[in-house]
Amino acid sequence: MFTLDDISLRLGGHLILDHASASLPPKARVGLVGRNGAGKSSLLKLIAGQHEPDTGRIEAPSAMRIGYLAQEAPSGKATPFETVLAAAAERAALMDEAEHAVDPHRIAEIHERLTAIDAHGAPARAARILAGLGFSEEAQHQPLDTFSGGWRMRVALAGLLFSEPDLLLLDEPSNHLDLEAALWLESFLKSYRASLIVVSHERDLLNNVVDTILHVERGKTTLYAGNYDQFERQRRERLAQAEASRASQDARRKKLQAYVDRWRYKAHSARQAQSRLKALQKMEPVAEAAEDPSLVFDFPSPKELKPPLLVLEDVAVGYAPDTPVLSGLDLRIDPDDRIAFVGRNGNGKTTLARLLAGQLAPMGGKVAASGKLTVGYFAQHQIEELVAEDTPLQHMERLLPDAKQGVVRAHLGRFGFSGDKAMVQVKKLSGGERARLSLALITRDAPHILILDEPTNHLDVDAREALVQALAAFGGAVVVVSHDRHLLGLIADRLLLVADGTAREFDGSIEDYRDQVLSAGSGKGGNGADPSQKISRKDKRKAAADARERAKELRKTATSAEAEMKTLWRKRDEIDALLTAPDAAAGELMKRRGAVER
């Protein structure tokens, strides 16, 4: 049993955790969730021993080995393979001792223990973990200093997984991973034999890996049995009950107050008024559900253009002359397209995105675009390029110098920057808020194509869901690169596999691609197609046209379903408004609300 007992923590004068408690059973598989800034990472560091609680204590079995991913990426001349092998400290120490030991009994003990921990199978296991995280056999034996920070963080993650601690602590482990490595990690964690606590905003990982959710909110922790979808349903029901209780209490409070105000100074009824006043004072208020402006995304739909919006024919693109990163590119984008780029990091997904955004010129081939086409391109570096001292309003005014302030503020309001929030300096905004501001800036002209390169990295689960809904309602084309399988599964109806120096349509769903990635090793390099089977450009275009035709009926069904959802949301809002009335029939209204929710 692992127990958090009445834990409080202050950092920088702010109360992060407020008498939080939870008991986790052995072999627990816990998803630690909560809004950005709720204290998830701080709680993880408490468990890892990097913070000391102000009050309370953490109780764990004395021999428990806790593994936590350090924030510093490893570096130096050692290779990823050597670094991962060294992460198993006991094995490394025993192997070193075995080389120098002379006592026959001690030598026997060493070899018995090495056999027990499968020390001789360790190199193969280390290589498998590194391969799963995207390292080729050649890359596994190159010095760490030749890799970027993101790839060195993958080495740190590989070392932690290899060491197999009794309690594995992971804080956003997929942040430095591409979709393929994230899929492998999810599969690895599903079969992990010891306890784990993972902070993640990846809905699919939380649904497929964990069996318990620990929710952090307003300094408190609440334990829920089940995966993330089950937690969300339980919490929604609990919030609905709390809201009904709050509305009922408000009505009762108003009645008591009205009685006290009327009769407290009348001699014949002063005693009854005083008793009601005491009841009023003892009434503990039910907390109101917090409204969160970080869930606001509303992309302006563009003016209609006839298809196609953009066509590539046998295009090559790259950075150095005569050295294309990608070639033989054939792609057509129509106004209703939803396309996801998949493929390992380094294969050219961002290069292709920049070509479509007009940031890279083609080296060869033909690019045909509609004359009035506008493109909005979101890349992670844009968040870092925001001016720290300026406000969202100042950023938007620079890009829309001729627009009236009402128009500028209205567009910012689409992304949650209404009123005073538009006047807050960027340096005081959270990572998720900066991502929303960047999205607001790139959509100021209502682009016909939205190109989003890893848009969810700074967003929590709820904000990602809001982004999915906004993209579904967007009236233009969407091209997305993301390791969030939940987002891709709901948004993308076309997958473009970027591999082997080109990009080709992947015939299947994101789940089909997942299955292929996890069963890679069939001799075709995991690309989803045999390169020896050449398909003519004419056949490709015909196949794409047929696919678009098949999708039309599905789009009509989806549009109808979205319209019905809007109607139901409106009904739910009407019921919520009725619940606040003093004489509301709360029981009947909650039944109606439950029916609408279902």
Side-chain angles (χ1 to χ4, degrees):
M1 182 72 77
F2 185 90
T3 304
L4 304 171
D5 184 16
D6 200 36
I7 297 293
S8 293
L9 176 69
R10 286 184 179 274
L11 294 174
H14 298 287
L15 183 63
I16 307 298
L17 297 170
D18 183 13
H19 299 284
S21 299
S23 294
L24 308 179
K27 306 289 185 182
R29 310 174 63 78
V30 181
L32 185 56
V33 304
R35 303 312 312 275
N36 284 340
K40 304 184 297 296
S41 295
S42 298
L43 179 54
L44 218 58
K45 288 178 180 178
L46 270 173
I47 296 170
Q50 295 194 2
H51 288 327
E52 286 293 328
D54 296 317
T55 66
R57 64 185 188 277
I58 297 175
E59 298 176 358
S62 58
M64 176 178 275
R65 293 182 303 116
I66 297 177
Y68 176 69
L69 185 63
Q71 296 301 309
E72 297 80 23
S75 60
K77 300 301 180 185
T79 67
F81 182 76
E82 292 166 344
T83 304
V84 171
L85 276 180
E90 183 186 11
R91 176 188 178 275
L94 288 171
M95 296 285 282
D96 183 63
E97 187 180 354
E99 291 185 8
H100 304 96
V102 292
D103 180 359
H105 296 292
R106 179 56 186 157
I107 292 173
E109 288 175 354
I110 290 171
H111 284 284
E112 184 178 345
R113 181 58 184 161
L114 286 172
T115 300
I117 64 175
D118 190 25
H120 300 295
R125 192 162 60 88
R128 281 198 302 272
I129 291 173
L130 283 166
L133 292 174
F135 290 88
S136 66
E137 186 174 353
E138 180 185 357
Q140 292 180 26
H141 300 285
Q142 293 175 356
L144 285 171
D145 285 347
T146 63
F147 293 96
S148 68
W151 282 95
R152 285 186 282 120
M153 284 305 297
R154 291 194 191 200
V155 176
L157 174 60
L160 178 60
L161 299 178
F162 178 75
S163 67
E164 292 188 325
D166 301 315
L167 176 59
L168 177 63
L169 305 179
L170 296 173
D171 193 350
E172 289 290 351
S174 57
N175 262 5
H176 301 284
L177 306 182
D178 51 29
L179 174 63
E180 291 71 18
L183 290 172
W184 177 88
L185 177 65
E186 181 184 308
S187 177
F188 181 93
L189 294 179
K190 282 172 73 172
S191 61
Y192 192 71
R193 293 170 293 181
S195 299
L196 65 87
I197 302 176
V198 56
V199 175
S200 178
H201 298 313
E202 304 286 339
R203 195 185 193 100
D204 282 339
L205 186 147
L206 293 171
N207 276 331
N208 297 330
V209 170
V210 310
D211 55 24
T212 305
I213 295 292
L214 185 61
H215 183 228
V216 184
E217 184 178 38
R218 299 176 182 175
K220 304 293 186 183
T221 52
T222 307
L223 209 60
Y224 294 81
N227 63 17
Y228 188 83
D229 282 349
Q230 292 165 331
F231 148 74
E232 201 172 52
R233 185 170 61 251
Q234 294 174 60
R235 183 166 177 263
R236 197 162 51 234
E237 291 167 356
R238 184 178 290 187
L239 286 174
Q241 291 168 358
E243 185 61 23
S245 297
R246 189 187 65 80
S248 175
Q249 187 188 76
D250 283 350
R252 187 166 168 235
R253 184 187 294 276
K254 286 177 183 176
K255 275 188 177 180
L256 289 172
Q257 189 64 57
Y259 187 93
V260 169
D261 291 344
R262 184 175 180 186
W263 299 109
R264 67 190 301 180
Y265 299 115
K266 306 289 184 181
H268 68 280
S269 56
R271 184 176 297 174
Q272 292 91 330
Q274 285 299 317
S275 69
R276 283 164 173 76
L277 184 60
K278 287 178 182 177
L280 196 62
Q281 291 168 343
K282 289 180 180 178
M283 200 179 285
E284 286 291 333
V286 178
E288 187 173 0
E291 289 291 325
D292 195 334
S294 67
L295 300 183
V296 180
F297 295 92
D298 181 14
F299 298 109
S301 289
K303 293 179 180 178
E304 193 170 331
L305 288 180
K306 290 182 179 180
L309 298 177
L310 190 65
V311 177
L312 308 183
E313 292 186 9
D314 198 24
V315 170
V317 64
Y319 301 91
D322 302 320
T323 312
V325 174
L326 299 171
S327 57
L329 298 173
D330 293 298
L331 177 63
R332 169 180 166 140
I333 300 179
D334 286 341
D336 57 353
D337 270 329
R338 298 289 191 271
I339 304 171
F341 294 167
V342 295
R344 286 282 187 186
N345 277 0
N347 281 358
K349 298 190 297 291
T350 296
T351 300
L352 181 52
R354 293 188 64 192
L355 170 69
L356 298 180
Q359 293 192 357
L360 284 176
M363 291 178 167
K366 180 182 177 183
V367 177
S370 175
K372 296 182 180 179
L373 178 70
T374 57
V375 177
Y377 176 52
F378 174 91
Q380 283 301 302
H381 67 83
Q382 291 168 323
I383 295 176
E384 310 307 323
E385 290 173 358
L386 295 171
V387 182
E389 303 298 326
D390 286 357
T391 66
L393 184 61
Q394 288 170 320
H395 279 85
M396 191 63 72
E397 284 177 334
R398 270 199 300 273
L399 295 175
L400 297 173
D402 299 324
K404 294 180 180 178
Q405 183 154 122
V407 173
V408 174
R409 282 188 171 271
H411 184 67
L412 285 170
R414 287 174 172 270
F415 294 84
F417 296 100
S418 300
D420 293 340
K421 196 68 177 178
M423 305 302 293
V424 176
Q425 289 179 315
V426 163
K427 64 183 179 183
K428 296 179 181 177
L429 299 178
S430 68
E433 288 170 329
R434 294 182 194 194
R436 276 192 291 118
L437 176 56
S438 294
L439 287 167
L441 296 175
I442 68 161
T443 57
R444 64 191 182 277
D445 295 323
H448 300 91
I449 303 177
L450 268 181
I451 301 173
L452 308 177
D453 193 349
E454 294 292 356
T456 63
N457 275 359
H458 296 278
L459 304 180
D460 59 32
V461 185
D462 292 335
R464 292 180 185 205
E465 202 66 29
L467 177 62
V468 167
Q469 293 177 18
L471 289 174
F474 176 59
V478 176
V479 176
V480 62
V481 179
S482 178
H483 62 261
D484 188 327
R485 191 166 91 247
H486 178 72
L487 180 142
L488 296 181
L490 290 176
I491 291 300
D493 50 27
R494 290 173 62 191
L495 300 184
L496 205 67
L497 179 60
V498 183
D500 300 326
T502 190
R504 60 175 68 89
E505 296 278 346
F506 179 85
D507 185 16
S509 67
I510 193 67
E511 291 305 317
D512 296 327
Y513 184 67
R514 169 191 175 276
D515 294 341
Q516 179 176 288
V517 168
L518 295 180
S519 62
S522 61
K524 293 181 183 180
N527 292 338
D530 188 338
S532 65
Q533 297 178 356
K534 298 292 183 182
I535 303 172
S536 73
R537 194 171 297 121
K538 181 180 177 181
D539 288 342
K540 284 183 183 178
R541 285 198 291 267
K542 185 178 184 303
D546 290 343
R548 283 193 295 274
E549 193 62 34
R550 289 195 302 271
K552 276 185 179 178
E553 286 304 314
L554 291 175
R555 292 188 193 285
K556 287 181 183 177
T557 303
T559 301
S560 174
E562 287 163 4
E564 184 182 359
M565 284 170 64
K566 287 180 180 178
T567 301
L568 290 170
W569 283 333
R570 188 170 63 250
K571 286 182 179 178
R572 185 183 63 185
D573 291 343
E574 290 170 356
I575 293 170
D576 288 344
L578 291 172
L579 277 167
T580 62
D583 56 348
E588 179 61 29
L589 287 170
M590 287 308 299
K591 285 182 183 178
R592 285 169 55 191
R593 195 183 194 281
V596 169
E597 283 286 347
R598 284 192 294 277

